[in-house]
Amino acid sequence: MSRVIHPRLARPQWWRDAVVYQIYPRSFADAHGDGLGDIPGVTSRVWYLRELGVDAVWLSPFYPSQLADGGYDVDDYRDVDPRLGSLAEFDEMVAALHSAGIGVIVDLVPNHTSNRHAWFVEALAASPGAAARERYLFRDGANGGIEPPNEWESLFGGSAWTPAGDGQWYLHLFAPEQPDLNWDNPEVRIDFENTLRFWSDRGVDGFRVDVAHGLVKDLEEPWERQDELELWPRPDGSHPLWDRDGVMDIYRSWRRVFDCYDPPRFAVAEASVHPSRRARYASPETLGQAFNFAMSDADWRPGDFHEVVDTALRDAAESGSSTTWLLGGHDSPRVASRFGLPLIPSPRVYADTADGRPFRHDSQWLARQWLLSDGRRPHVDHELGRRRARAATLIELALPGCTYVYQGDELGLPEVADLPPEVLQDPMAGRSAREKGRDGCRVPLPWSADRNALGGNSFGFGRDGAHLPQPDWFADFAVDVQSADPTSTLTMFRRAVALRASLLAEASGESPAAAGGFAWVPAVEGVLHFHRGLWHCVTNFTDGAVPRPAGEVLLCSAPEGAGDGVPANSTVWLRAS
Ligand code: GLC
């Protein structure tokens, strides 16, 4: 499909320093009026995305799916879920986004299909040993087939094996509706390359690769015991399920596909790997970019942020790519709530690595435990959380690299922590009595403070309600309210993205992608200060105002403005004189 390329997307490797907005399509905007967000809903909000100033959108899966895992259970990789639209409507959406200069990244889910995918239906109907079973990971059950082959557990709880009914069992690292593919089978490899071409031919600019570290597995016996299997990959690639070296062969062949296009397509890996191995996914020979989740785990402490930034920039230099920044996403409790939780006294260190870098998983994990638990819920200071989230947003937007922003975070939307159990959709919900899962960050966006704006009891989301119930307080966060408020989080976000674009362009003339400079500036305790040329970013992590370095204030995250200093829990952007 030939198209005129918007100058913004024609820049070589525009994605290296892009601001990418993550759309969770079922919860963004509902044009069909059935309570479920859809593709025409995205098209109907191109004005909003243009006003945000983002360079690209990443769409979480919109493919046909029974929604056993929010669409990450794909029935057909080359179609649109009829409830969400059609391929023609997808093309219209891409055209509308492109003419606004906004790139399109789609989510690819290669670790597993859904159990309704034609291949899996065929595999289940086939006999043990049949070629159709070789596309998945079937094994004989133990004890004559009546027990799973081993004791491995799925990430969503319960056994990682489900019986096929004839003595064999299939592996699923996630829900039983998500059978894992066998990437040793060349047919699987060829088919996914065809999927890459299918969407690239339709004008898609990039791919977000789900569970990118999971594809290649070692299922040779003897199996490792469940208690030996860390949830997190090992620094030496020896884990039987995660981050095996063979994964890179797949991505090198994908690179050959990407490079057939002009401009070349790119991909970003969702790879929960040891930090020392992330560079391999982001290399120009493989996917080009990898998510760095460290900032979404960081606590509101200058030391945490300092370390996250240093590590990310070092890893980026190693990979030859730019780094990525994320504060939230569809899998994590909302950042505005997380930063309102009490600070964790000492973050957990899961492993100390060969090269001495700690591998931590802290506030994110605790936020899930704390915020979503029943009964023992700690006090969440919403005002403080929102304030810190605004300050953190200005940090990530000032740093070199690509920033991913999850829908609703530009509104400072808090987690909906009290969804009643009967409405929960996430397969993670109910794994334990306290686990509420990820639905609280997936509640449809409030577009209007009027619940019945479209006659639909959905704060302007659609004409017929919202597939997850929106609380009354969503009115305060609605797009129309915030658009009219010069101190709102949305207004701050729009200003920040616009300023960032002009500062980068100014710094580097014709090619903003080349703007790289970054250096720390010594600061008083509780303050982080860095600069990129004349552009300075100063964050005060403390609860009292601190003096402000010299320079013209360009933007302040605090709703009340900068005043004479840097206000408590705030970031200020300055232009040095
Ligand atoms: C990724 C997705 C998550 C999904 C899982 C299984 O982590 O972000 O939402 O549940 O993969 O596909």
Side-chain angles (χ1 to χ4, degrees):
M1 191 182 288
S2 73
R3 64 178 167 109
V4 179
I5 301 170
H6 192 284
R8 194 143 74 151
L9 302 172
R11 276 200 290 130
Q13 303 195 343
W14 57 268
W15 41 268
R16 287 176 69 104
D17 64 354
V19 179
V20 182
Y21 183 79
Q22 182 191 354
I23 292 180
Y24 192 74
R26 291 175 175 85
S27 299
F28 184 65
D30 168 21
H32 290 154
D34 56 5
L36 208 58
D38 44 42
I39 295 292
V42 177
T43 312
S44 75
R45 298 294 195 275
V46 170
W47 62 267
Y48 179 69
L49 300 164
R50 193 203 292 259
E51 280 180 23
L52 288 182
V54 297
D55 300 289
V57 291
W58 146 34
L59 296 159
S60 279
F62 48 78
Y63 315 109
S65 167
Q66 68 201 302
L67 303 185
D69 180 17
Y72 285 89
D73 46 321
V74 179
D75 298 349
D76 180 350
Y77 292 90
R78 294 178 217 143
D79 205 351
V80 175
D81 188 327
R83 288 168 296 179
L84 268 67
S86 62
L87 279 171
E89 286 171 326
F90 179 86
D91 293 341
E92 281 164 26
M93 177 198 72
V94 172
L97 287 165
H98 277 164
S99 60
I102 299 171
V104 181
I105 299 168
V106 299
D107 217 310
L108 194 72
V109 188
N111 180 66
H112 42 263
T113 69
S114 87
N115 61 348
R116 304 199 313 180
H117 189 284
W119 277 358
F120 193 74
V121 173
E122 194 189 342
L124 266 195
S127 315
R133 290 218 166 164
E134 289 305 310
R135 298 184 188 120
Y136 294 90
L137 298 166
F138 284 84
R139 291 292 182 274
D140 292 336
N143 272 342
I146 58 165
E147 283 176 22
N150 65 29
E151 51 169 355
W152 289 352
E153 287 167 12
S154 111
L155 291 177
F156 289 160
S159 173
W161 300 92
T162 289
D166 51 19
Q168 285 210 315
W169 297 59
Y170 66 88
L171 182 75
H172 52 87
L173 297 181
F174 295 89
E177 295 88 352
Q178 295 168 296
D180 281 41
L181 282 163
N182 172 17
W183 277 86
D184 289 336
N185 185 335
E187 204 186 337
V188 171
R189 297 191 181 219
I190 291 166
D191 196 72
F192 268 86
E193 289 184 16
N194 288 338
T195 296
L196 294 176
R197 288 190 195 94
F198 178 88
W199 294 109
S200 299
D201 289 346
R202 298 194 102 87
V204 155
D205 303 277
F207 299 86
R208 179 261 189 190
V209 184
D210 189 64
V211 196
H213 56 307
L215 279 44
V216 174
K217 290 159 185 115
D218 176 10
L219 296 191
E220 289 301 310
E221 295 185 55
W223 320 100
E224 290 198 42
R225 291 200 325 268
Q226 174 65 33
D227 60 6
E228 294 167 340
L229 280 188
E230 306 90 336
L231 185 56
W232 300 103
R234 299 172 187 164
D236 59 0
S238 69
H239 198 291
L241 303 175
W242 305 121
D243 189 30
R244 299 188 62 79
D245 290 339
V247 173
M248 288 304 132
D249 295 338
I250 298 170
Y251 299 141
R252 275 189 282 271
S253 65
W254 288 14
R255 171 55 53 191
R256 288 193 283 277
V257 177
F258 297 153
D259 286 349
C260 292
Y261 290 86
D262 180 22
R265 304 320 193 220
F266 87 105
V268 54
E270 186 225 20
S272 297
V273 296
H274 191 277
S276 63
R277 290 170 66 88
R278 194 182 302 121
R280 304 172 334 134
Y281 292 80
S283 145
E285 275 96 53
T286 59
L287 297 177
Q289 201 178 63
F291 283 153
N292 168 12
F293 293 109
M295 199 176 266
S296 53
D297 288 345
D299 278 321
W300 187 246
R301 290 193 181 92
D304 281 40
F305 275 74
H306 196 292
E307 184 190 323
V308 161
V309 170
D310 277 347
T311 310
L313 295 180
R314 193 171 58 211
D315 288 350
E318 204 179 298
S319 69
S321 185
S322 58
T323 192
T324 55
W325 308 108
L326 294 97
L327 286 166
H330 69 293
D331 291 329
S332 353
R334 286 275 184 193
V335 57
S337 298
R338 180 163 63 83
F339 282 142
L341 284 163
L343 275 182
I344 300 156
S346 56
R348 294 166 64 108
V349 176
Y350 268 75
D352 261 319
T353 64
D355 63 3
R357 294 187 207 176
F359 182 33
R360 305 197 313 201
H361 190 61
D362 35 43
S363 86
Q364 186 63 245
W365 180 82
L366 279 173
R368 196 176 297 293
Q369 301 298 308
W370 283 357
L371 184 66
L372 306 181
S373 64
D374 287 320
R376 283 187 281 161
R377 188 174 299 152
H379 172 69
V380 182
D381 185 335
H382 292 290
E383 202 52 52
L384 183 62
R386 193 155 58 252
R387 197 176 167 91
R388 288 174 171 171
R390 287 170 64 131
T393 301
L394 291 198
I395 299 178
E396 61 170 0
L397 287 173
L399 285 165
C402 176
T403 301
Y404 284 83
V405 179
Y406 178 52
Q407 68 177 40
D409 284 351
E410 79 282 14
L411 304 173
L413 209 57
E415 180 84 1
V416 183
D418 53 0
L419 288 169
E422 62 276 13
V423 305
L424 298 180
Q425 301 172 3
D426 182 8
M428 285 186 92
R431 282 194 313 174
S432 74
R434 299 165 62 219
E435 179 67 76
K436 283 200 166 182
R438 299 164 292 182
D439 293 310
C441 68
R442 300 176 180 182
V443 176
L445 290 190
W447 292 91
S448 167
D450 175 3
R451 239 196 202 281
N452 288 309
L454 297 175
N457 187 27
S458 70
F459 295 109
F461 167 70
R463 293 190 307 276
D464 191 19
H467 67 100
L468 282 167
Q470 301 154 302
D472 289 340
W473 52 259
F474 257 36
D476 300 338
F477 293 85
V479 171
D480 61 358
V481 174
Q482 295 207 34
S483 294
D485 176 359
T487 69
S488 72
T489 305
L490 178 59
T491 301
M492 180 209 79
F493 184 84
R494 285 177 176 150
R495 284 201 190 126
V497 175
L499 253 174
R500 166 194 160 99
S502 65
L503 288 165
L504 289 182
E506 197 182 300
S508 60
E510 285 304 297
S511 167
F518 167 91
W520 292 111
V521 180
V524 296
E525 204 180 329
V527 173
L528 273 192
H529 182 174
F530 61 84
H531 78 101
R532 302 180 66 186
L534 294 179
W535 178 15
H536 285 241
C537 178
V538 186
T539 304
N540 174 7
F541 287 77
T542 73
D543 294 329
V546 295
R548 188 171 67 231
E552 174 203 352
V553 175
L554 300 172
L555 191 61
C556 174
S557 68
E560 73 275 14
D564 296 338
V566 182
N569 295 298
S570 300
T571 296
V572 170
W573 284 0
L574 299 168
R575 183 196 293 276
S577 30

